[in-house]
Amino acid sequence: MGHDRLVQPLEEEPGSPETTSVMSEAFFLGIDVGTQGVRVILTDEKGVLSGAEQSGINLTDAFRTEQDPHAWWEAVQLCVGKVLEEQPAAVRSRVAALSVTSTSGTVIPLDKEDRPLHAALMYSDTRQEEEGRYCRELALTYNPGGFTAFNASSGLSKILWFAGRYPEKAEQTRRWVHAADYIFGMLSGDFSTTDYTNALKTGYDVAGFRWPSYITEALPVEKEWLQEVVPSGKPTGVLLPHLANRWRLGNVRVVAGMTDGCASQVAAGAVRPGDWNTTIGTTLVVKGVTLNEIKDPLGRLYSHRHPAGAWMPGGASNTGADWISREFGEDLQEMNREAAVLTPTHFLSYPLRQKGERFPFVNEAARGFTDPSISTKGQEFAAGLEGVAYVERLAYRLAEALSGERVQAIYSAGGGSNSDVWMQIRADVLNRPVLKTANASGAMGAAVLAASQTRYSDLAEAAGAMTHIEAGFDPRAPALYEDDFGRFENLLRKKGYLKD
């Protein structure tokens, strides 16, 4: 596979808003509401950034369980205002559309006036484990062809839990919305619409384009609580006049959003069949595009619906980069220098720092391990980088086996992509090129989505114009890690973690 897009330079280097406004016909806002803060970017139709702003959110100690949606909205207004106040009138007049991304599985009950009845139940809230198991049993019984991988992080599990714990508030509920939908509603006034990616974990059948009947017939869920579901990227609203006046904007379309993982995939440029993206943050998340829906009876991979009708399967490992920030944060530069010299280490390490794994294999008893032969901190760090790359290779092998389609290109995003040493290790272990995209953030993905049907004909055309490969990493030698990967796989089997 060649690096076709590496030889396509940007038509304009990022410059001042005054420069880019002359060259560009339209600008787009991307809004990303994360677990601990909000990020907003303004980009032109070529993906050249004109402004960016971020703000933390006032959080309680229980922020991983519940958060105040009003705090999100305040941070969004602050960031959008700061980004736009720095722009000349010529740029503001050309802001054509905006979109929003946020965490998957976070949900909020709204009252008759579309005001939050309760704090948002966060995706990371683990109180809904029992409800998740029950939802999974019902889905497997009544709608096995739809989404069945319910757990505590699923929106439907949280709705069921809330109805049981707060029956008086459930009676006052007008509808349930997802995190991105709440900001979409505050911007457009429409809280009744969501998108394919956000609706998936609330039980929407993205193959049959319907809410399965068991949700309202077998669960204490009212039909009116469920939103209308549209493809991500569909323009369905207009920025409210008082906000347009405050920010000195014209007629700005508000476009149906996406979950944060899918938005990062879009920002990386992985939007065509055969394209895949690995985001290494706290966890390792693999997402791609296939022509056919992946049906995994074990729930390791599940499929979002692509706006153009294809599929966006993905899975998330409990392994990632959290161990680096916790154990090597102060020595990171030195550790990277050592790893560049030490690899291949031939040590076997699996840096899982919690109990249980969910992808690319499911095992609640899984534990991380470190090679007993390791004697230095540098060796431990380098072997850990290799171990995550082995997990990534297992993930792509699983994706190819279940889809019957070849992984054609691997893009990379997240904090892990900032380490050239790790990018090289991954290319060596995967034995194929790994491409790093500039500005591969959720906010950029939202901006590309905003442009996908307002400036361009579809998502592929928008991503082709607005995402740009920053670097490519080729394997240093054929099969450099073949023996070590085989040993790693055999050790997982010996421990009972990986099975045929």
Side-chain angles (χ1 to χ4, degrees):
M1 184 188 72
H3 300 171
D4 305 11
R5 300 175 66 194
L6 285 174
V7 298
Q8 298 179 6
L10 299 180
E11 296 181 29
E12 287 290 326
E13 291 298 316
S16 68
E18 290 80 5
T19 300
T20 58
S21 66
V22 174
M23 302 299 296
S24 304
E25 294 181 12
F27 290 80
F28 303 91
L29 281 163
I31 301 170
D32 179 17
V33 180
T35 305
Q36 301 185 53
V38 168
R39 178 173 171 81
V40 173
I41 67 162
L42 178 68
T43 179
D44 74 358
E45 63 201 29
K46 300 170 187 175
V48 179
L49 288 180
S50 292
E53 189 68 41
Q54 58 187 15
S55 173
I57 300 170
N58 290 326
L59 300 171
T60 68
D61 291 339
F63 75 94
R64 295 195 180 278
T65 301
E66 296 185 358
Q67 289 191 20
D68 180 4
H70 295 296
W72 306 342
W73 176 233
E74 291 299 322
V76 167
Q77 293 179 88
L78 175 67
C79 290
V80 172
K82 285 187 174 181
V83 165
L84 292 176
E85 71 183 11
E86 299 172 355
Q87 309 302 322
V91 170
R92 291 195 304 274
S93 67
R94 296 179 185 177
V95 176
L98 63 83
S99 192
V100 185
T101 181
S102 189
T103 52
S104 171
T106 299
V107 291
I108 312 121
L110 302 183
D111 67 12
K112 306 302 180 185
E113 304 298 326
D114 284 323
R115 297 172 302 196
L117 270 166
H118 189 85
L121 302 177
M122 298 299 292
Y123 71 98
S124 48
D125 182 359
T126 60
R127 294 174 293 178
Q128 297 82 30
E129 290 184 359
E130 181 180 344
E131 287 79 8
R133 287 191 292 269
Y134 185 57
C135 289
R136 178 176 174 81
E137 291 172 4
L138 287 177
L140 289 169
T141 300
Y142 295 108
N143 195 47
F147 181 76
T148 60
F150 291 103
N151 54 35
S153 69
S154 305
L156 185 60
S157 310
K158 299 180 187 304
I159 293 173
L160 178 59
W161 177 89
F162 184 85
R165 299 306 187 282
Y166 301 98
E168 71 289 348
K169 288 186 177 181
E171 290 182 0
Q172 302 172 45
T173 300
R174 180 182 189 181
R175 61 171 61 95
W176 281 83
V177 300
H178 308 90
D181 306 333
Y182 179 75
I183 301 303
F184 181 98
M186 295 301 291
L187 291 164
S188 68
D190 175 17
F191 293 88
S192 66
T193 304
T194 190
D195 68 277
Y196 292 161
T197 65
N198 275 293
L200 180 70
K201 291 184 180 179
T202 309
Y204 184 76
D205 187 336
V206 292
F209 303 107
R210 63 188 178 90
W211 289 104
S213 59
Y214 79 86
I215 293 178
T216 54
E217 293 176 0
L219 295 171
V221 176
E222 303 294 333
K223 287 184 179 180
E224 56 266 26
W225 291 357
L226 305 175
Q227 298 167 281
E228 178 186 359
V229 185
V230 301
S232 297
K234 181 177 180 178
T236 60
V238 178
L239 186 65
L240 289 168
H242 75 276
L243 294 173
N245 290 335
R246 182 199 304 177
W247 293 325
R248 292 175 293 167
L249 299 173
N251 186 46
V252 178
R253 304 298 299 273
V254 181
V255 170
M258 224 176 209
T259 60
D260 52 0
C262 290
S264 293
Q265 174 184 343
V266 168
V271 298
R272 303 165 186 80
D275 289 351
W276 286 77
N277 174 67
T278 300
T279 298
I280 303 181
T282 301
T283 59
L284 181 148
V285 179
V286 167
K287 289 182 177 290
V289 182
T290 57
L291 293 171
N292 299 303
E293 181 183 9
I294 288 182
K295 292 185 179 294
D296 182 4
L298 299 181
R300 295 160 297 183
L301 280 165
Y302 58 87
S303 294
H304 285 290
R305 192 82 192 203
H306 192 287
W311 295 91
M312 299 173 71
S317 171
N318 288 336
T319 321
D322 61 332
W323 59 279
I324 296 176
S325 58
R326 287 192 293 179
E327 300 164 29
F328 297 93
E330 296 181 357
D331 306 314
L332 198 51
Q333 289 187 342
E334 177 60 28
M335 290 296 99
N336 270 290
R337 283 193 289 268
E338 288 193 35
V341 177
L342 290 170
T343 54
T345 67
H346 305 300
F347 297 123
L348 299 184
S349 174
Y350 175 37
L352 178 68
R353 294 298 188 260
Q354 65 181 70
K355 179 182 177 181
E357 182 59 279
R358 52 183 171 153
F359 178 75
F361 56 87
V362 177
N363 191 296
E364 294 181 355
R367 293 286 193 281
F369 54 79
T370 301
D371 197 310
S373 302
I374 289 176
S375 59
T376 70
K377 195 172 182 181
Q379 290 174 342
E380 181 183 0
F381 177 78
L385 299 184
E386 292 171 333
V388 175
Y390 295 149
V391 172
E392 184 180 8
R393 177 165 169 174
L394 287 171
Y396 282 119
R397 189 176 69 183
L398 176 67
E400 289 187 330
L402 290 177
S403 69
E405 301 174 32
R406 178 162 174 74
V407 173
Q408 301 290 349
I410 296 176
Y411 299 85
S412 191
S417 64
N418 293 327
S419 168
D420 287 356
V421 174
W422 205 357
M423 291 286 287
Q424 186 61 62
I425 290 171
R426 291 168 54 209
D428 293 338
V429 170
L430 297 171
N431 198 27
R432 63 180 78 194
V434 179
L435 309 176
K436 179 181 178 180
T437 309
N439 301 318
S441 66
M444 174 58 82
V448 174
L449 200 64
S452 65
Q453 294 184 44
T454 58
R455 174 66 180 87
Y456 297 101
S457 60
D458 56 27
L459 186 59
E461 185 182 6
M466 298 175 71
T467 66
H468 307 283
I469 302 301
E470 185 175 77
F473 297 81
D474 291 302
R476 286 177 287 184
L480 182 64
Y481 275 95
E482 205 64 27
D483 290 342
D484 291 334
F485 173 73
R487 291 169 52 231
F488 180 81
E489 183 181 9
N490 288 336
L491 183 54
L492 291 180
R493 292 185 186 280
K494 182 179 180 180
K495 290 178 177 291
Y497 300 166
L498 189 63
K499 300 177 181 178
D500 292 327

